[in-house]
C-alpha cells in the first residue's frame, strides 16, 4: 500500500498550533466562528494529505451527472418547444414558465435542505426525481399534464447544481479546487448529447415545421421519443449514484454539527479507499474545542447545526462582516442578472433559430437541430479553457468571469471603452445576421463564452461560501437566478420574440453582471475554501 506523509510546519491559529495549509485561508479573521474556522483548517490539511485520489475522481464523475441533468432538462424545454406547440396549441412561454417554477422550488428545497439533513439525501434524490418524472412527461396527453410533470421534474433538477457543487468541494483538496470549474464539461456534454439525440428524432418524427395542418400524436412522436430516451439515461445515472458509488456524508457538515468522531471516520475511510494514510485523529478536533475556547459561540453553532429545522442564522452567517455581506449581495445580484438574461435567450433559442430560419427561407427541423448540435459542441473546449483561466495569476475567478460575461479588468480607466465584451457582445452581434449561417456563427461565439461564464460562476459561489452555510448560500444564489428565470417567460408572454428586443435586454444584463464580478471582494484562486 502506498503511503503519503505530509510535511507539517506549525502555525498558530486562535491559540492552537495547527499544520500550515498548502494554500491560504479564503476568509479574514473574524468572518467565521473561531472553533469552526480552526477545525476546518485542520480538515483542509487532512484532505490535502489524502490528495486527489480514486474517491475524488469517482466523485468528479458522479457529481458531473448533476451538471449533465441541469443542462439536459432546461435545454429539453426548448428542444421540444416547437413540436409540442404544434400538437397542443399553447403559447410558447407557458412551458418555460412551468419548468422555471419547478426549478425555483427545487433550488429552495434542496439547497437549504442540505444544510439541515445533510448532503447525501439531496445528492441522491435530486437526480432520481428528475429521471422518474422526466420519463412520465413523455406520456403526456395534453399540455396541462406536460406542464405539471415538467414542473415536478424541474424540482429535482433545481437542486442538482447547488447541492452537487457543495458536495464536490467538500471532498477535494485545496490544490484541486479548480476542478469545480472543469466540472462544467459535463454541462457541455449534456447539451451536446441532448442536441444529438433531438436532431434525428425531432427532424424525422414530427409534424412539418411550416405546416398549418392538424398535428396529432401519431405523426408527432419525436419529442416523446426524445424525452423517453433522455429520461431513461438519467434514471441509469441515478442508479449509478445510489447503488454503485457510495457517497459519505460531508466531513465539513459533520464537524459543524459537532460530530467529530464521525467526521474523522469518513476522512479515514476515504484515505483507505485512496490507498493512502491520514494522520487526522478525533483528538485534533477535541483539542481545538478545548483550547480555542469561545464556548458561547461554539455552543450556539452546535445547537443550530444539530437541529432538524432550518434557522435564519444560516443566512445571518453569510452577512456577518461588511466584506462578507458585500460578497454575498454581489453573488446574488450576478446570479439574478445572468439568470434573467440566459433564460430570455437560451430557453427560446431553438424557437428563435426556427423563426429566423423562416425569414431566411430554410426553416426545417433538420436545420434547426443541426445548428443546435453545432452550438453545443463549443461548450467542451469552453469548459477546459475556463479551468485553465481561473488558475492564471492576475486573472483568477473574477477576471475569468468578468471577461467571459462582458467586462475585463484594466488598470487604465481610459481603456474602459476598449474592454472586450464577449458573451454580451456576441448576443448583440446576432441581431445583425442576414442569413442562417451568419446567425449560427454569432451564436457559436455566444455559446462558447457563455459556457466559460457559467463554468466559473458555478464554481466561484460555493468556493466563497463557508461549508457550514454553503447549502444556504448556494440556495440564495440559485433562488435569485430561478426567480428571474420565472420572470423571463412572463416577460416573453408580452414581448415580441420575432424582434431583437429580448437579445438587447439579455446583452445589457450580462454586461452588468460582468461589471459586478470585478467588485467581488474575495478571490478564491490560491486560497483554501473553508
Amino acid at each position: 500500500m502506498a503511503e503519503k506523509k505530509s510535511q507539517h510546519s506549525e502555525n498558530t491559529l486562535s491559540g492552537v498550533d495547527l499544520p500550515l495549509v498548502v494554500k491560504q485561508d479564503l476568509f479574514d479573521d473574524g468572518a467565521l466562528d473561531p472553533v469552526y474556522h480552526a477545525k476546518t483548517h485542520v480538515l483542509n490539511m487532512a484532505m490535502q494529505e489524502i490528495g486527489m485520489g480514486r474517491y475524488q475522481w469517482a466523485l468528479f464523475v458522479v457529481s458531473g451527472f448533476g451538471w449533465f441533468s441541469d443542462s439536459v432538462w432546461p435545454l429539453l424545454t426548448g428542444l421540444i418547444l416547437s413540436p409540442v406547440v404544434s400538437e397542443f396549441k399553447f403559447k410558447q412561454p407557458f412551458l418555460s414558465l412551468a419548468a422555471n417554477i419547478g426549478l425555483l422550488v427545487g433550488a429552495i428545497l434542496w439547497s437549504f435542505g442540505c444544510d439541515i439533513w445533510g448532503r447525501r439525501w439531496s445528492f441522491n434524490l435530486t437526480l432520481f426525481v428528475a429521471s422518474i418524472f422526466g420519463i412520465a412527461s413523455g406520456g403526456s396527453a395534453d399540455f396541462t399534464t406536460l406542464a405539471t410533470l415538467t414542473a415536478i421534474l424541474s424540482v429535482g433538477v433545481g437542486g442538482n447544481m447547488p447541492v452537487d457543487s457543495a458536495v464536490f468541494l467538500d471532498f477535494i483538496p485545496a490544490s484541486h479546487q479548480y476542478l469545480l470549474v472543469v466540472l462544467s464539461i459535463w454541462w457541455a456534454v449534456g447539451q451536446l448529447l441532448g442536441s444529438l439525440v433531438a436532431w434525428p428524432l425531432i427532424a424525422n418524427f414530427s409534424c412539418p415545421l411550416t405546416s398549418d395542418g392538424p398535428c396529432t400524436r401519431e405523426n408527432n412522436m419525436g419529442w416523446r421519443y426524445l424525452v423517453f430516451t433522455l429520461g431513461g439515461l438519467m434514471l441509469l445515472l441515478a442508479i449509478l449514484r445510489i447503488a454503485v458509488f457510495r457517497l459519505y456524508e460531508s466531513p465539513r457538515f459533520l464537524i459543524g454539527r459537532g460530530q467529530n468522531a464521525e467526521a474523522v471516520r469518513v476522512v479515514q475511510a476515504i484515505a483507505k479507499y485512496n490507498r493512502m494514510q491520514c494522520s487526522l485523529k478525533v483528538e485534533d478536533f477535541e483539542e481545538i474545542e478545548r483550547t480555542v475556547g469561545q464556548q458561547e459561540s461554539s455552543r450556539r453553532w452546535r445547537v443550530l447545526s444539530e437541529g432538524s429545522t432550518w434557522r435564519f442564522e444560516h443566512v445571518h452567517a453569510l452577512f456577518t462582516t461588511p466584506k462578507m455581506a458585500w460578497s454575498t449581495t454581489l453573488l446574488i445580484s450576478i446570479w439574478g442578472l445572468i439568470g434573467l438574461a440566459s433564460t430570455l435567450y437560451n430557453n427560446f433559442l431553438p424557437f428563435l433559430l426556427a423563426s429566423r430560419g423562416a425569414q431566411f427561407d430554410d426553416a426545417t427541423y433538420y436545420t434547426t437541430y443541426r445548428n443546435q448540435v453545432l452550438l453545443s459542441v463549443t461548450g467542451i473546449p469552453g469548459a477546459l479553457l475556463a479551468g485553465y483561466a481561473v488558475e492564471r495569476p492576475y486573472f483568477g475567478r473574477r477576471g475569468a468571469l468578468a471577461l467571459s460575461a462582458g467586462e475585463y479588468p484594466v488598470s487604465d480607466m481610459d481603456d474602459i471603452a476598449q474592454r472586450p465584451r464577449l458573451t454580451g457582445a456576441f448576443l448583440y452581434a446576432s441581431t445583425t445576421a442576414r442569413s442562417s449561417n451568419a446567425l449560427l456563427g454569432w451564436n457559436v461565439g455566444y455559446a462558447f463564452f457563455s459556457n466559460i461564464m457559467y463554468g466559473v460562476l458555478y464554481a466561484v459561489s460555493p468556493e466563497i461560501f463557508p461549508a457550514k452555510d454553503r447549502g444556504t448560500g448556494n440556495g440564495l444564489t440559485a433562488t435569485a437566478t430561478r426567480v428571474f428565470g420565472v420572470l423571463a417567460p412572463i416577460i416573453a408572454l408580452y414581448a415580441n420574440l420575432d424582434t431583437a428586443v429580448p437579445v438587447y435586454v439579455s446583452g445589457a444584463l450580462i454586461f452588468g453582471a460582468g461589471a459586478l464580478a470585478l467588485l467581488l471582494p474575495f478571490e478564491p484562486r490560491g486560497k483554501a475554501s473553508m
Side-chain angles (χ1 to χ4, degrees), residues 33-35 292-303:
D33 174 272
V35 173
V292 174
Q294 304 292 330
Q295 277 83 10
E296 183 64 21
S297 173
S298 177
R299 183 187 66 80
R300 282 201 302 267
W301 166 242
R302 282 202 295 270
V303 169

Side-chain angles (χ1 to χ4, degrees), residues 34-45:
V35 173
Y36 174 79
H37 194 165
K39 285 184 176 181
T40 307
H41 204 117
V42 170
L43 186 58
N44 280 343
M45 268 307 306

Side-chain angles (χ1 to χ4, degrees), residues 145-186:
T145 305
L146 176 62
T148 301
L149 292 173
T150 298
I152 297 174
L153 77 87
S154 296
V155 171
V157 176
N160 283 137
M161 297 296 294
V163 174
D164 293 5
S165 60
V167 167
F168 185 71
L169 195 58
D170 282 354
F171 284 96
I172 59 174
S175 58
H176 288 74
Q177 285 177 191
Y178 71 93
L179 288 175
L180 188 59
V181 179
V182 182
L183 263 174
S184 63
I185 197 169
W186 284 96

